[in-house]
Amino acid sequence: MSWPWETHLLPAERPFARQLAHWAEEAGRRWRPVLTDFYDLRRQWIARVVVASVSEIELKSWGGYPDAERVRLWIGPEGWEPGESDWQLGFVKVEVPGAEWTHGDVLGSILGLGVRREKIGDISVVPGAAWCVTDREIASFLCVHWQRVGRYSVHPCVVSPGEFVPPRQSWRQERVTVASLRLDAVLHEALHWSRSKAAEWIKKGMVQVNWAVCQDGARPLAEGDVISVRGVGRLKILALEGESRRGRQIVRVGHLE
């Protein structure tokens, strides 16, 4: 069966979209809602498009706090409202006074236990403490098996939703000038990479634009676009500030810290 939204998706995204369509149809046929894993913004957008094509079905989302980036999706009949327990969330905290760690350190230590990324929601990190939103069963698992973050020994514990401290996004700003707003040109200047390295990473599928893998270095960027580079970090086009005297584009770029 062909769906009208398939033409707007990358080939690798279509199996996920078809699974969503199946869940939505089953939720309507069986009158039984479906709760998904945690999804990023790109998959949330795909879900909204897909579920909107199925009549009498609604999509709701929750990641443990307002403005969560990674959320679980609830697909159910119109008029149904999931309760707090229906989301099956767990909140886990680790605390080591004086510890200096990053989001990547915390996430990497969890994934190293064999936990799938889709079972983990947002992670909040400050010096000496970290919180993560997880599937409820995964929270119990982490309290037993999660013992280290980098060089630090940790003793995780489950906390209440009210004790979770949402992450604060801080962007280090930088102005760069680019010959054009192509993806490869922006990476070349913003990351201080050679043009060949930027092109290579893009071709290898190591770069996402707005949470979708982009292998086209010529893709034009716009204000508000988010660029994620695997193993490097996240950039955001904060503002386009006109042309320089030499006719180059002035771009204010944010580097997620």
Side-chain angles (χ1 to χ4, degrees):
M1 179 178 180
S2 178
W3 297 86
W5 36 256
E6 287 190 320
T7 57
H8 301 286
L9 303 178
L10 298 172
E13 295 172 334
R14 291 171 189 167
F16 169 69
R18 295 188 191 110
Q19 178 66 72
L20 283 167
H22 172 72
W23 285 335
E25 291 176 342
E26 286 294 295
R29 184 180 301 115
R30 297 176 180 272
W31 212 247
R32 181 185 303 167
V34 174
L35 179 66
T36 74
D37 288 334
F38 292 91
Y39 294 138
D40 60 24
L41 293 173
R42 174 65 178 179
R43 289 198 161 193
Q44 293 170 43
W45 175 82
I46 293 172
R48 285 195 294 271
V49 171
V50 171
V51 174
S53 69
V54 181
S55 62
E56 300 183 346
I57 294 297
E58 288 186 331
L59 176 72
K60 300 181 185 299
S61 61
W62 184 241
Y65 67 99
D67 301 322
E69 182 174 298
R70 294 179 61 83
V71 300
R72 301 190 89 163
L73 305 177
W74 186 94
I75 304 169
E78 287 182 343
W80 287 32
E81 191 68 35
E84 182 177 341
S85 63
D86 292 327
W87 294 104
Q88 300 180 29
L89 299 181
F91 299 82
V92 179
K93 178 182 180 181
V94 292
E95 186 171 17
V96 178
E100 296 182 0
W101 43 33
T102 66
H103 180 282
D105 295 332
V106 176
L107 176 60
S109 65
I110 294 174
L111 299 184
L113 299 173
V115 177
R116 291 192 299 112
R117 182 65 179 99
E118 291 78 11
K119 294 297 182 182
I120 305 296
D122 283 359
I123 294 174
S124 178
V125 178
V126 299
W131 297 260
C132 61
V133 186
T134 73
D135 174 86
R136 187 182 297 158
E137 292 184 1
I138 295 299
S140 300
F141 172 86
L142 292 179
C143 287
V144 176
H145 299 283
W146 191 17
Q147 300 178 350
R148 299 196 68 81
V149 176
R151 60 190 177 90
Y152 302 102
S153 296
V154 296
H155 302 281
C157 63
V158 172
V159 297
S160 69
E163 294 177 80
F164 177 78
V165 177
R168 290 184 178 181
Q169 287 195 343
S170 175
W171 298 90
R172 175 176 57 83
Q173 300 187 23
E174 176 186 17
R175 281 184 175 83
V176 298
T177 62
V178 296
S180 74
L181 290 173
R182 289 169 49 119
L183 174 60
D184 53 7
V186 171
L187 286 188
H188 163 60
E189 296 292 348
L191 296 180
H192 309 289
W193 282 1
S194 67
R195 292 182 183 275
S196 59
K197 181 175 181 179
E200 179 184 1
W201 279 54
I202 293 168
K203 288 180 180 178
K204 287 184 176 180
M206 306 284 280
V207 178
Q208 294 182 342
V209 178
N210 299 330
W211 294 273
V213 173
C214 180
Q215 294 178 281
D216 179 10
R219 185 198 196 282
L221 298 177
E223 189 171 306
D225 282 347
V226 176
I227 305 102
S228 303
V229 184
R230 189 183 306 172
V232 176
R234 186 179 298 177
L235 309 173
K236 186 174 184 178
I237 307 299
L238 299 176
L240 304 179
E241 301 183 342
E243 292 188 358
S244 69
R245 293 180 180 177
R246 297 184 177 183
R248 291 168 64 85
Q249 296 282 333
I250 303 173
V251 182
R252 182 150 48 92
V253 178
H255 299 257
L256 184 61
E257 295 183 322

